[in-house]
Amino acid sequence: MSTHFSPIIRRQSIPVLVGGVAIGGGPVVVQSMTNTDTADIKGTTEQVAALAQAGSEIVRITVDRDEAAKAVPHIRDALDKMGCDVPLVGDFHYIGHTLLTQNPACAEALAKYRINPGNVGFREKRDRQFTTMIEVALKYDRPVRIGVNWGSLDQELVIGLMDENAKSANPKTAQDITEDALVLSALQSAELARELGMGADKIVLSCKVSDVQSLIRVYRTLAGKCDYALHLGLTEAGMGSKGIVASTAALSVLLQEGIGDTIRVSLTPAPGGDRTEEVIVAQQILQTMGIRSFMPLVTACPGCGRTTSTVFQDLAGKIQSYIRLRMPTWRENYTGVEEMTVAVMGCIVNGPGESKHADIGISLPGTGETPSAPVFIDGEKRMTLKGAGIAEEFQGIVEDYVKNRYGSSSASDAAE
């Protein structure tokens, strides 16, 4: 996939594997999280499968009580029977040490454990309970994500930093202290895990906040102080366009600087909304930046006074939906199809030019149009479609193009 820039490559020499998926020193990996009750085996299995089908390469599930822990191996078995091998990450808070030790089948079924140092234990219990979780991870050879969150930050650590700051001749702001505490908590916990025998290649760090500029500052600092794999995400990003824009703004800056090995877009779904939206947004961030390709890019103009009929909007919507529907099958059978570019344009001003730049494109004439649309393939006009069935005809042309260009015989020809 061509791009006008390349991300700055952060020095990252530590590969981390989760279920065979490289998340350090490899491609940036898309992660998501279920919002089902994990004790609901059927509901959780279905949502994990849907997230994986949408493109989530790691799925995190809540393990908050004994019933949830006991359900985990059954969820893993059900997914395996479906042919869904997506790695499961257990999200533990407060009693993770107890759940893991009392439910060995859960500990074994999970591919990674998420530990929150802010609530793994308090005072004298903190190190003991953290140690227990690391020992379980070592027993089953599992990596851990040490995930710090400013909503559940270790208050003893914050108070200690505040007290030191009060004595300084040039005191920092409360915001600065909070950001320092996030980084320090992650690094201190990672160091304790190392002292217990965990290799650096089994440790992932995250420091999540809900403010864009704070997230950027925190991760820049964290990346400058360690070589651990880093998980990025703007926590509590919000709903709809706000959540999408905020996550994109934060993650894009960091990814462009080469910071980040896994990402999650934490969108609040609308009531009854589709949880897979967060996966699609994460993929689109990576693909739009030229970091990874997941599905063909569809270029479509926004519409203006020259495209007042609904023909263009209907056509663009149908083509986008068709490509997303066909992509799982295409991905299985046509290597490189995710690199394809498609243009669906609305009028004669930019339509033909954009269509020529795409691998395959279609352009409508604009306002007052009698449906009549030239089709461009590999930069050349090949045909003109007319009438009410343009969308269906164009879908067939796209299907044929995929088979001819990305099929096994054409791939072999290209290699020769």
Side-chain angles (χ1 to χ4, degrees):
M1 172 175 185
S2 62
T3 156
H4 297 296
F5 58 84
S6 296
I8 300 168
I9 302 301
R10 184 173 85 91
R11 184 167 56 86
Q12 175 57 276
S13 59
I14 302 174
V16 180
L17 298 179
V18 175
V21 178
I23 59 172
V28 179
V29 171
V30 173
Q31 181 170 319
S32 62
M33 184 175 184
T34 58
N35 61 357
T36 57
D37 179 355
T38 305
D40 175 4
I41 296 171
K42 182 176 183 295
T44 302
T45 300
E46 290 175 351
Q47 189 172 90
V48 170
L51 290 166
Q53 177 70 17
S56 182
E57 294 158 302
I58 304 174
V59 178
R60 182 159 49 111
I61 60 177
T62 297
V63 188
D64 58 346
R65 64 194 195 281
D66 195 59
E67 292 85 352
K70 283 181 167 48
V72 170
H74 298 289
I75 294 167
R76 179 72 273 167
D77 288 345
L79 290 167
D80 290 342
K81 289 177 182 177
M82 296 167 60
C84 179
D85 60 358
V86 66
L88 296 178
V89 178
D91 192 56
F92 295 98
H93 299 274
Y94 303 107
I95 58 171
H97 60 293
T98 300
L99 295 174
L100 284 171
T101 53
Q102 294 183 357
N103 295 277
C106 169
E108 189 169 10
L110 293 169
K112 182 170 69 171
Y113 313 148
R114 184 276 173 108
I115 306 172
N116 183 343
N119 58 34
V120 71
F122 302 97
R123 296 185 176 86
E124 69 280 355
K125 293 182 179 181
R126 180 184 297 109
D127 288 354
R128 184 169 69 251
Q129 293 176 181
F130 181 87
T131 295
T132 298
M133 295 189 73
I134 296 299
E135 288 174 342
V136 174
L138 291 170
K139 177 180 178 180
Y140 293 100
D141 193 27
R142 297 295 189 261
V144 298
R145 172 158 73 90
I146 297 171
V148 187
N149 191 303
W150 74 350
S152 53
L153 194 53
D154 180 350
Q155 290 305 298
E156 284 188 86
L157 178 62
V158 175
I159 292 170
L161 291 177
M162 288 287 189
D163 289 343
E164 289 182 19
N165 186 57
K167 301 172 186 176
S168 173
N170 297 296
K172 296 181 177 181
T173 66
Q175 178 82 4
D176 291 336
I177 295 298
T178 299
E179 293 175 9
D180 288 347
L182 285 162
V183 174
L184 187 59
S185 177
L187 294 177
Q188 286 182 343
S189 297
E191 184 59 30
L192 178 54
R194 295 291 301 277
E195 291 173 2
L196 294 168
M198 178 159 282
D201 62 332
K202 294 293 180 68
I203 298 173
V204 183
L205 301 184
S206 66
C207 292
K208 291 193 175 184
V209 303
S210 57
D211 176 76
V212 170
Q213 295 299 337
S214 288
L215 191 82
I216 293 170
R217 286 192 297 268
V218 165
Y219 272 93
R220 281 174 173 166
T221 301
L222 186 61
K225 291 180 177 291
C226 74
D227 276 330
Y228 296 113
L230 302 180
H231 171 74
L232 305 185
L234 190 74
T235 191
E236 291 98 33
M239 296 184 69
S241 59
K242 185 270 178 185
I244 294 171
V245 170
S247 292
T248 302
L251 269 58
S252 296
V253 171
L254 294 168
L255 291 167
Q256 176 62 13
E257 296 179 6
I259 297 171
D261 299 282
T262 70
I263 66 170
R264 184 196 171 201
V265 176
S266 300
L267 297 180
T268 303
D274 192 342
R275 188 68 169 182
T276 62
E277 182 184 11
E278 67 176 53
V279 178
I280 295 168
V281 173
Q283 290 179 328
Q284 289 175 340
I285 290 172
L286 293 174
Q287 183 151 353
T288 302
M289 293 188 67
I291 294 172
R292 288 187 66 186
S293 295
F294 296 93
M295 67 176 296
L297 278 178
V298 177
T299 300
C301 67
C304 65
R306 291 183 293 272
T307 56
T308 53
S309 81
T310 62
V311 176
F312 159 64
Q313 290 94 331
D314 290 343
L315 178 61
K318 287 179 179 178
I319 299 305
Q320 179 76 63
S321 297
Y322 177 77
I323 289 174
R324 187 166 293 281
L325 177 67
R326 293 291 294 143
M327 193 58 200
T329 300
W330 287 350
R331 189 181 292 114
E332 290 285 329
N333 297 288
Y334 303 114
T335 301
V337 67
E338 65 274 2
E339 304 280 352
M340 182 175 68
T341 57
V342 180
V344 181
M345 302 300 294
C347 81
I348 60 173
V349 176
N350 293 318
E354 287 285 357
S355 296
K356 289 178 183 178
H357 286 303
D359 292 318
I360 182 168
I362 188 169
S363 177
L364 288 163
T367 299
E369 59 203 335
T370 298
S372 176
V375 174
F376 297 82
I377 299 176
D378 294 329
E380 297 182 5
K381 181 180 175 181
R382 298 291 180 85
M383 63 199 75
T384 299
L385 304 182
K386 297 181 180 181
I390 287 178
E392 290 72 22
E393 289 186 64
F394 187 64
Q395 289 171 7
I397 294 169
V398 171
E399 190 74 40
D400 288 341
Y401 182 85
V402 169
K403 292 177 181 177
N404 292 332
R405 178 167 177 179
Y406 301 102
S408 56
S409 58
S410 57
S412 298
D413 294 340
E416 294 174 1

